[in-house]
Amino acid sequence: LMAVLLDWQKNDQVLAVAIRGSNKEGAFGAFCAGGDIRFLHQAGTVGNPQIEDFFTEEYALNHLIHNFGKPYIAFMDGIVMGGGMGISQGASLRVVTERTKMAMPETIIGLFPDVGGGYFLSRCPGRVGEWLALSGETIGAADAIAFKLADGFLPADQQAGLWDALGAQSFASGAAVQQWVESKMIASGACQVSARGQIDQYFSLPDVPTIVAALEGAGDDWARATAALLRKRSPLMLHVVLEQIRRARTMDLADDLRMERDMVRHCFYLRPGQSETLEGIRALAVDKDQSPRWNPARIEDVAPELVQQFFKSPWPAHAHPLAALR
């Protein structure tokens, strides 16, 4: 993708870029469900340096998409999670369908919402960013639009025809391409999440133990279910992720990606033999026992100084892998 986009960015014959997913059933039906987490587990376990290159290249690609300079239209059909958010959130037009299932579920595997997740989640209304980042919850099209993670709705059965028409007709400019796609979008219906007020109430609290205690002390099903969900996540990474989102709120994209590059190095190497990420992937995708052994095991036992270490860069500024991003 990086090689193709760099070529098209300079090619005057390319007016705009449109990107879609593909799966076993053909085009559409799934946009992108993250990445190869088994590779991350294998490489992280043996210290394969390719894991470092992977994240450097991925974050540079995310930055390029946000700063592409031409219309970049993402057809976010089906599953749009993790790495899929990284190659779509920087789009100038983000199109969702009734099949869209959007999430940043990294806390499930002891990671954090990377690929610029700090930047785009922190810019959701209110405290939606904290809620999505900590819980990893999945949202649909209407919520994605309401939360400023998508721009418009297109019925899934209209995608193929629109896509084919994009390639069959001529346009005067890139702006004309985007305007034409926008003209095909329709209203998405009512917002599916009725808990926006509760999200802001709880996820504006100062720290993770306070958030979870308040949720557990509430009398409604949504709060208790949310607390139970958070109790399953890596306690350490919940603390790290809350700090990430709140720091990112005052950062530009380049600084956020540099911070995330620091964080991902620490996820694999800060505590040799005690990586929350390797343990999370092991439990979910390798041994599949669904029983990660988090360390510390409880939200209340996470030391603040351990959290702060994730935000110390292993590199001097001039030698940072993403130093060139502006």
Side-chain angles (χ1 to χ4, degrees):
L1 269 177
M2 178 67 109
V4 167
L5 290 177
L6 285 172
D7 178 40
W8 289 352
Q9 189 181 36
K10 303 182 192 77
N11 186 337
D12 292 338
Q13 291 184 296
V14 176
L15 301 180
V17 172
I19 186 167
R20 69 181 184 187
S22 63
N23 63 11
K24 292 170 186 168
E25 288 77 49
F28 303 112
F31 182 72
C32 178
D36 184 358
I37 59 173
R38 289 170 185 251
F39 158 74
L40 299 182
H41 184 271
Q42 185 273 332
T45 301
V46 300
N48 182 343
Q50 285 182 305
I51 199 170
E52 295 281 316
D53 301 336
F54 170 84
F55 287 108
T56 298
E57 292 173 28
E58 184 179 27
Y59 296 179
L61 170 64
N62 304 145
H63 185 268
L64 174 65
I65 291 168
H66 279 264
N67 296 277
F68 193 61
K70 296 180 181 182
Y72 177 105
I73 303 164
F75 288 82
M76 303 162 73
D77 188 36
I79 294 172
V80 187
M81 298 184 184
M85 293 284 272
I87 57 173
S88 57
Q89 282 304 317
S92 57
L93 187 62
R94 301 162 297 174
V95 184
V96 286
T97 76
E98 69 273 16
R99 297 189 302 210
T100 299
K101 292 182 173 64
M102 182 183 289
M104 290 298 283
E106 286 76 12
T107 55
I108 295 171
I109 57 166
L111 192 61
F112 62 91
D114 64 335
V115 297
Y119 179 82
F120 58 76
L121 290 179
S122 69
R123 281 150 178 83
C124 292
R127 300 299 177 154
V128 165
E130 280 97 329
W131 169 64
L132 288 173
L134 271 69
S135 70
E137 284 275 46
T138 300
I139 58 173
D143 294 325
I145 294 170
F147 297 157
K148 304 190 185 307
L149 296 170
D151 301 301
F153 179 85
L154 184 73
D157 61 6
Q158 294 182 23
Q159 288 183 112
L162 191 152
W163 183 273
D164 292 341
L166 274 176
Q169 61 192 81
S170 52
F171 296 90
S173 65
V177 177
Q178 180 160 319
Q179 287 164 6
W180 184 76
V181 175
E182 287 174 336
S183 74
K184 306 298 181 184
M185 299 190 303
I186 66 170
S188 61
C191 186
Q192 292 144 330
V193 166
S194 58
R196 173 64 203 285
Q198 291 163 290
I199 289 169
D200 289 351
Q201 174 187 345
Y202 295 111
F203 286 86
S204 62
L205 293 170
D207 53 49
V208 177
T210 307
I211 291 169
V212 174
L215 288 165
E216 288 177 336
D220 63 282
D221 292 342
W222 182 89
R224 285 194 295 267
T226 302
L229 203 63
L230 295 176
R231 287 287 185 193
K232 294 179 182 176
R233 308 295 187 240
S234 160
L236 171 58
M237 295 313 296
L238 288 179
H239 285 256
V240 171
V241 167
L242 187 64
E243 179 82 2
Q244 173 204 4
I245 299 300
R246 292 181 175 174
R247 284 182 180 230
R249 216 163 247 135
T250 59
M251 292 180 167
D252 62 20
L253 177 65
D255 284 338
D256 172 67
L257 287 167
R258 279 187 279 269
M259 175 180 73
E260 292 178 11
R261 185 64 186 84
D262 298 340
M263 292 168 67
V264 83
R265 159 68 79 89
H266 293 317
C267 279
F268 288 94
Y269 300 118
L270 181 64
R271 301 186 300 169
Q274 297 184 64
S275 166
E276 294 291 272
T277 309
L278 293 181
E279 175 59 17
I281 297 173
R282 179 207 65 75
L284 180 73
V286 180
D287 297 339
K288 299 182 180 179
D289 58 24
Q290 312 301 321
S291 299
R293 295 182 289 272
W294 302 127
N295 181 20
R298 296 176 70 251
I299 287 167
E300 293 79 5
D301 295 339
V302 176
E305 55 270 24
L306 181 56
V307 175
Q308 292 307 314
Q309 286 180 30
F310 279 80
F311 299 93
K312 294 177 181 173
S313 182
W315 302 280
H318 69 274
H320 195 285
L322 298 176
L325 299 188
R326 291 291 177 264

